[in-house]
Amino acid sequence: MSNVNFDETLVLKNIEGENSSDILNYMAKNLYNKGFVKVSYADAVIAREKKFATGLPTEGYGVAIPHTDIEHVNQSAISVGILKNPVDFGIMGEETEKTPVKLVFMLAMHDSHSQLKMLQSLMGIFQDEEVLRYLANEESEVKIKEEVSKRLNLNHVKGGE
Amino acid sequence: MSEVRKGKKTVLVACGTGIATSTVVSDAIEKMAKENNIQIEIVQCKVTEVPAYESRASLLVTTTIVSKTYPFPIINARAFLTGIGLDKLKERILEELKK
């Protein structure tokens, strides 16, 4: 059911930026270079983040889930960005409050309802301090990919249900 | 309210795009309603689409800022995403659903 593209080339480590827009631009360009999103995605995701912030303070590292309208997406994909130093993102649902974000889960969503399980699993990661710490500190992109894939159940066994 | 509402309550679940966080929140509220045997209708939408449902909604649960005022309560649903303050949030929503 869930055809969400994700591999180690979508895991970006040690990203640096002055602000959230720098980070989003960098991650969006990578998704664009791989053909998962349209050229309009980067500006759209930055604009949307300004209007509807997606930063989430957690018990561990702050996270953000930038995303935008489906019209900017070619194929569903998720990209994980681990920031070298936390950058402030607006807090979801708050007027001006910000939170330092270490982990960015950029979502390129092509449709909504079929991804419910993946989104729920993603929120499960946000509520698990240990996993957040692992993702923030692990050096290997491949290992990060494996952990996230496992948590989000993105690796479907052939012939499985 | 001058008119007594009967039947199902309509609960609006809104986020910025109507595709990501509202999907998770809608499912959580649906489960809560089922567990408590409360019949509700959930409408998932973008926050900009809320005015279209103004006349029939009893509650707005949202993950984003709502700049307009509405005749129904507005509840911030961020706790469904982070788990922080989740019990309190569920209590608050249930209280509204039971009204």
Side-chain angles (χ1 to χ4, degrees):
Chain A
M1 50 144 238
S2 74
N3 296 306
V4 178
N5 292 285
F6 181 58
D7 64 23
E8 60 269 22
T9 66
L10 294 172
V11 175
L12 304 172
K13 275 203 60 87
N14 294 316
I15 309 177
E16 286 181 273
E18 292 275 317
N19 51 46
S20 60
S21 297
D22 287 355
I23 306 292
L24 297 182
N25 190 46
Y26 182 79
M27 292 181 72
K29 286 276 148 67
N30 184 50
L31 280 168
Y32 171 67
N33 289 338
K34 297 189 190 314
F36 296 132
V37 299
K38 300 189 172 118
V39 70
S40 58
Y41 180 87
D43 285 346
V45 83
I46 289 168
R48 189 201 178 270
E49 187 68 32
K50 283 184 181 152
K51 211 169 163 199
F52 302 113
T54 68
L56 293 168
T58 72
E59 300 283 4
Y61 294 91
V63 302
I65 48 165
H67 56 280
T68 188
D69 297 311
I70 56 177
E71 69 209 53
H72 305 287
V73 176
N74 292 324
Q75 282 182 53
S76 292
I78 179 165
S79 176
V80 180
I82 297 106
L83 280 54
K84 190 168 183 200
N85 300 304
V87 164
D88 276 353
F89 275 68
I91 298 179
M92 192 182 287
E94 301 294 335
E95 208 81 47
T96 52
E97 242 181 289
K98 291 184 181 294
T99 190
V101 164
K102 175 77 177 172
L103 297 163
V104 176
F105 296 82
M106 182 173 272
L107 309 173
M109 307 282 286
H110 201 232
D111 65 311
S112 56
H113 300 276
S114 63
Q115 315 295 358
L116 173 64
K117 286 234 158 59
M118 187 206 81
L119 289 166
Q120 284 172 331
S121 307
L122 192 59
M123 305 311 156
I125 292 180
F126 302 163
Q127 296 172 30
D128 192 327
E129 210 182 322
E130 216 171 292
V131 182
L132 290 175
R133 192 179 307 123
Y134 176 81
L135 297 176
N137 296 298
E138 173 55 50
E139 286 301 321
S140 153
E141 281 92 350
V142 174
K143 281 190 178 168
I144 291 171
K145 185 239 359 184
E146 282 168 1
E147 181 68 21
V148 172
S149 296
K150 192 180 85 186
R151 297 273 162 187
L152 302 186
N153 201 20
L154 296 176
N155 289 335
H156 298 286
V157 181
K158 271 185 194 159
E161 281 176 40
Chain B
M1 246 189 227
S2 55
E3 157 205 7
V4 180
R5 275 180 178 278
K6 290 214 166 160
K8 283 186 189 178
K9 271 195 162 71
T10 297
V11 178
L12 302 180
V13 180
C15 65
T17 58
I19 56 167
T21 57
S22 57
T23 305
V24 176
V25 173
S26 293
D27 186 71
I29 294 175
E30 206 179 312
K31 277 190 189 129
M32 275 177 60
K34 256 188 206 150
E35 278 167 17
N36 291 279
N37 288 315
I38 302 168
Q39 298 277 323
I40 56 167
E41 176 204 24
I42 295 177
V43 177
Q44 188 185 340
C45 63
K46 292 185 186 190
V47 73
T48 50
E49 294 164 350
V50 170
Y53 300 100
E54 187 166 340
S55 58
R56 58 189 256 227
S58 324
L59 176 65
L60 169 61
V61 183
T62 179
T63 53
T64 69
I65 310 163
V66 178
S67 43
K68 240 182 128 237
T69 50
Y70 291 102
F72 39 77
I74 299 167
I75 298 180
N76 181 312
R78 198 169 64 231
F80 278 126
L81 314 182
T82 63
I84 301 170
L86 185 57
D87 290 345
K88 226 172 148 188
L89 170 65
K90 283 186 167 176
E91 225 170 82
R92 174 92 208 283
I93 292 173
L94 208 53
E95 197 181 297
E96 288 297 332
L97 297 185
K98 283 178 176 169
K99 267 185 191 167

